[in-house]
Amino acid sequence: MESDQLASNTYVNDSTKLKNDYEKNVKKLELKPVLNRITKTRMPFILGDRYRIVVFRSSRKKGIYSSAVEYDGKICHIEEFMDVDGLADGFRGCEDHILAVNADAIANAIFEHIKNWSSMVAIKELGSVFTEDGKKTSMYGRKLHNIDDVDEDKFIDMWINNVSSVVKSLREIYRDREYSSDPKKALSKKLKEFEDILSGVSRDNIDLDFLLVLIKTLFGETLTEVFELIVTCGLTLRFVDRDRGLVGNRPDWLLLISPPSTLKTTMMDMIKDSPYVFYIDDVTAASFLPADPMQEPLILNMHGKVTLFPSLSIIAQKSDDEAKNILAILERIYDGEYRRGTAKSTRGLPVDTVVIGALTPDVFEHAFLQKMISYGSRYLFYRYSIPDYLALSLGHLFDVSHGAMLINHIRALSNHLFTYAMNNVNINMLQNVVIPPEYEKDLDVLSVMMARLRVVFYRRVEYVEDEDQSGRIRYRRVESMEITQRDAPLRSYRQLSNFVRSNVFVRKSPRFLGYPQIDRHAMKLASKLAISSSYRYFSDIILYLLRKHDVASISSADIANMLKVSRTTAYRYIDVLFHLGILNDTATPRLDETYFKTLSKYLLSDGDGGDGE
């Protein structure tokens, strides 16, 4: 009964109101394709003054389409369809009366444009190659904008009204009851805090910083960091300005490493619908740049965008040769250009992208880490987990339709604000960010440490001859760790420097003579990235010794107990860290004072965060 009443608050059921809405809106329904945004795989439309529709054409299955409809701050996804009837059924499932009543007419009009897709792409390409005065302009590095000129105030006002209504309904569902479970009580508290934040908001203070507060209230500190890392790394794409020939400072790539069901994909989906994002579910080595020039290269869609791989695990499922080829190609794409030799010629294209992927720890450690470090790591790694109580609390939220609606509203705002940031941040702004001398010195220390942790090492076993007291020859087994490769700190410094500079545009940062200045929060995230960008046991040992620095004597046995491995295994990793200069002893391991002083500033003084873990 209660859910029926809530549903009636969300969807219009009054026949008189429906009639008035219909008469008011149907006269305004005019479908217009947005010609300058059409690509070979995407066709956007404006429908009246309320709806935005994007139709996607599958690059792998001919005649298969999907679509997304945005209206009133909501996003309706229409899965695979092949014809007018399939698209019309999708519109009817969007739970919007105007779309439902006009579903057949809108679907027919869209398919009339689909029939002329190739011609429209050709017209658009002619317009992008030549300016009005007939002079050539660059096909790369052009600044994208929103699909249409949406009134900013109107969007924000609609968003506030819609999300407030949904949260109010959720508060009714999860209001405090004596018989509620602890996770439901926690969720009720989160929703109350969420509602309080919304009650004092206006369009003037809705920005990425506000969005981080909302996400932290609902998802907790760790997942908020995940989202902040995604957005920050996305903004590093603006360090590249191909029109001005500024391509040497490559943007940051990010890998999220966490156990299954820890909302990696949910956080990545927060920016999925931005025009600056390209989403990939699967990939082959050949698809990046096909030998057939008539096939569209994948890198053409990646160029100028953030490329999301919600599950890189699928690469690990491929044959060893195919997986190695894909990883090697991605390394070349990172450097800004990919060229491929074919039987007839050599093809190549420039490509500037930020790759953000997600993996489970087991797949990452066993199938990816060694290869990535061997090639020279282009990725920043971020390892995290979430506590059970938070997972259960969010599970209750996702269990009701209004919970899914709230997530969709947050996603709509995330896409809107991320697109706005990508439109407005440029290389000059990033280069003008002030790094105070103290932070610059600490960045040097963190960069050296991160480079040293990106090490390739092997266990060497030798048998040494010994003569016992009776004169008999005995062979003694001697084991040592051999370091065969270690990064220079050039790339690691650029990565961390780019990250902290970009991070100031995600939050309200301090100013110095009018210029944004990096702060302690940015350095804290940089510290976490620095110690995470290698083997898990390395970062675990460093964090453990950081917290136990004042303990008189820590042994390898203590570390083995912490890692839950044998003493021999623990000692191997301790030995490598010692030879890298990060630890100053193997018998009683301690962090080198240089690294301790730097890390303790950012990871100890207010705790190392998390959600109660």
Side-chain angles (χ1 to χ4, degrees):
M1 185 70 182
E2 184 181 38
S3 60
D4 291 339
Q5 182 182 356
L6 292 171
S8 68
N9 291 333
T10 307
Y11 306 118
V12 181
N13 291 319
D14 183 78
S15 60
T16 303
K17 190 174 187 305
L18 285 176
K19 182 179 179 181
N20 292 339
D21 284 347
Y22 176 77
E23 291 176 351
K24 179 181 178 181
N25 290 288
V26 74
K27 295 176 182 178
K28 298 181 180 180
L29 290 182
E30 181 181 359
L31 187 75
K32 297 179 180 179
V34 186
L35 185 61
N36 65 333
R37 295 290 170 254
I38 295 174
T39 70
K40 293 179 181 179
T41 58
R42 185 181 67 238
M43 183 181 291
F45 297 90
I46 301 171
L47 180 63
D49 58 2
R50 184 184 174 201
Y51 304 92
R52 295 188 297 172
I53 303 172
V54 184
V55 176
F56 302 95
R57 178 164 59 182
S58 173
S59 59
R60 304 187 184 282
K61 300 177 182 178
K62 189 174 182 180
I64 302 295
Y65 306 91
S66 60
S67 182
V69 185
E70 191 275 333
Y71 58 95
D72 297 342
K74 305 174 185 176
I75 297 178
C76 172
H77 295 280
I78 302 175
E79 300 301 331
E80 292 186 352
F81 60 88
M82 300 178 63
D83 51 26
V84 173
D85 291 339
L87 179 56
D89 288 342
F91 286 136
R92 294 188 188 99
C94 287
E95 298 173 334
D96 180 84
H97 180 68
I98 304 301
L99 287 177
V101 170
N102 298 279
D104 291 322
I106 298 170
N108 273 296
I110 286 177
F111 264 86
E112 287 300 315
H113 290 292
I114 287 177
K115 292 177 183 178
N116 300 312
W117 197 316
S118 298
S119 299
M120 296 171 75
V121 170
I123 293 171
K124 176 249 184 179
E125 291 298 333
L126 286 172
S128 65
V129 174
F130 295 94
T131 58
E132 291 182 0
D133 60 2
K135 295 181 180 180
K136 284 190 176 181
T137 186
S138 173
M139 291 290 288
Y140 293 94
R142 290 180 286 109
K143 191 174 183 180
L144 298 174
H145 302 277
N146 290 323
I147 290 177
D148 59 347
D149 296 327
V150 178
D151 183 84
E152 181 78 12
D153 292 343
K154 181 179 178 182
F155 172 85
I156 296 299
D157 288 341
M158 287 192 305
W159 185 88
I160 293 173
N161 291 334
N162 289 333
V163 77
S164 297
S165 175
V166 172
V167 173
K168 182 177 179 181
S169 298
L170 282 167
R171 289 273 291 134
E172 286 296 315
I173 296 174
Y174 291 111
R175 63 176 179 268
D176 292 328
R177 296 187 179 95
E178 290 183 3
Y179 56 82
S180 292
S181 66
D182 288 340
K184 284 187 177 180
K185 287 181 179 179
L187 178 58
S188 177
K189 182 179 178 181
K190 288 176 180 292
L191 292 170
K192 176 64 170 64
E193 293 174 3
F194 199 98
E195 188 177 47
D196 291 343
I197 294 170
L198 287 176
S199 65
V201 74
S202 68
R203 69 169 74 114
D204 296 328
N205 54 17
I206 287 189
D207 52 18
L208 280 170
D209 204 30
F210 167 79
L211 178 61
L212 290 174
V213 173
L214 285 185
I215 293 177
K216 183 177 179 180
T217 302
L218 199 61
F219 291 97
E221 183 176 342
T222 298
L223 289 171
T224 305
E225 278 192 1
V226 172
F227 175 74
E228 186 175 353
L229 291 168
I230 290 171
V231 174
T232 301
C233 288
L235 289 178
T236 64
L237 188 59
R238 291 294 171 250
F239 277 102
V240 179
D241 188 340
R242 196 164 283 274
D243 283 344
R244 295 164 59 187
L246 304 175
V247 297
N249 192 1
R250 306 309 300 165
D252 289 353
W253 290 16
L254 176 69
L255 280 184
L256 303 173
I257 305 154
S258 69
S261 300
T262 48
L263 302 183
K264 297 182 288 294
T265 302
T266 299
M267 290 297 107
M268 294 171 73
D269 282 352
M270 290 293 180
I271 64 168
K272 176 182 178 181
D273 296 319
S274 168
Y276 290 104
V277 172
F278 180 57
Y279 202 86
I280 298 178
D281 288 315
D282 192 10
V283 68
T284 64
S287 64
F288 288 104
L289 189 60
D292 183 358
M294 299 303 293
Q295 294 184 19
E296 184 178 46
L298 195 63
I299 58 174
L300 205 57
N301 291 316
M302 296 169 65
H303 180 67
K305 297 183 180 181
V306 177
T307 302
L308 296 182
F309 279 93
S311 178
L312 280 170
S313 301
I314 197 166
I315 296 177
Q317 297 171 10
K318 301 179 184 293
S319 67
D320 286 344
D321 288 343
E322 177 74 358
K324 288 178 181 178
N325 285 339
I326 291 173
L327 292 176
I329 290 170
L330 286 172
E331 302 294 341
R332 281 177 274 172
I333 288 173
Y334 175 92
D335 294 328
E337 184 178 18
Y338 175 48
R339 304 189 68 82
R340 178 187 178 189
T342 67
K344 296 182 179 179
S345 63
T346 299
R347 299 185 67 201
L349 285 173
V351 53
D352 304 314
T353 188
V354 169
V355 171
I356 301 177
L359 284 164
T360 59
D362 185 68
V363 173
F364 175 69
E365 297 285 344
H366 293 94
F368 283 88
L369 179 57
Q370 185 76 20
K371 297 184 182 72
M372 287 180 173
I373 291 180
S374 297
Y375 290 142
S377 182
R378 268 75 168 171
Y379 296 86
L380 297 170
F381 303 154
Y382 183 76
R383 290 181 171 85
Y384 76 95
S385 61
I386 60 175
D388 291 345
Y389 78 86
L390 177 60
L392 288 172
S393 175
L394 294 173
H396 287 296
L397 177 66
F398 296 156
D399 199 36
V400 295
S401 60
H402 285 76
M405 290 172 64
L406 178 58
I407 301 304
N408 285 338
H409 283 308
I410 296 174
R411 185 181 300 145
L413 182 63
S414 301
N415 281 286
H416 182 83
L417 294 176
F418 177 71
T419 301
Y420 181 84
M422 292 292 288
N423 278 335
N424 288 277
V425 174
N426 59 52
I427 188 172
N428 293 330
M429 296 166 64
L430 292 166
Q431 290 178 336
N432 286 330
V433 171
V434 177
I435 303 180
E438 179 187 2
Y439 290 160
E440 190 164 7
K441 179 181 178 181
D442 289 343
L443 276 177
D444 289 343
V445 173
L446 293 173
S447 301
V448 170
M449 182 180 68
M450 187 164 79
R452 292 186 177 187
L453 290 174
R454 291 170 167 173
V455 63
V456 179
F457 62 92
Y458 296 95
R459 181 163 56 99
R460 177 184 290 278
V461 177
E462 298 177 303
Y463 290 89
V464 179
E465 287 187 1
D466 279 337
E467 185 176 333
D468 62 17
Q469 294 179 349
S470 64
R472 297 178 61 184
I473 300 296
R474 302 284 188 179
Y475 289 91
R476 179 167 51 88
R477 187 176 185 271
V478 177
E479 180 182 298
S480 61
M481 305 306 294
E482 180 180 4
I483 295 174
T484 59
Q485 178 179 302
R486 189 177 79 184
D487 274 15
L490 174 60
R491 181 181 291 123
S492 58
Y493 178 79
R494 299 291 285 273
Q495 288 173 317
L496 294 181
S497 174
N498 288 354
F499 178 85
V500 295
R501 289 175 185 271
S502 298
N503 185 252
V504 304
F505 296 100
V506 180
R507 297 170 298 101
K508 290 182 175 67
S509 60
R511 316 287 289 189
F512 179 79
L513 299 179
Y515 293 104
Q517 175 178 295
I518 71 167
D519 58 7
R520 187 180 172 283
H521 177 81
M523 293 298 295
K524 176 182 176 179
L525 293 179
S527 300
K528 290 186 176 184
L529 291 170
I531 64 176
S532 295
S533 294
S534 186
Y535 301 88
R536 176 173 62 88
Y537 288 155
F538 282 170
S539 57
D540 288 347
I541 291 171
I542 290 171
L543 281 175
Y544 179 77
L545 293 177
L546 182 64
R547 298 182 183 117
K548 302 288 186 180
H549 192 73
D550 294 332
V551 177
S553 60
I554 297 292
S555 67
S556 58
D558 296 323
I559 293 176
N561 290 333
M562 181 272 297
L563 295 176
K564 295 181 174 57
V565 298
S566 68
R567 294 185 184 184
T568 301
T569 300
Y571 183 82
R572 290 168 184 161
Y573 286 95
I574 293 169
D575 191 38
V576 173
L577 289 173
F578 169 72
H579 283 95
L580 292 172
I582 294 173
L583 304 185
N584 58 16
D585 195 5
T586 56
T588 55
R590 285 174 63 86
L591 278 176
D592 180 85
E593 282 299 313
T594 300
Y595 298 118
F596 172 75
K597 288 179 180 178
T598 300
L599 292 175
S600 61
K601 288 182 193 177
Y602 309 112
L603 300 183
L604 285 187
S605 58
D606 65 349
D608 43 17
D611 301 288
E613 294 178 281

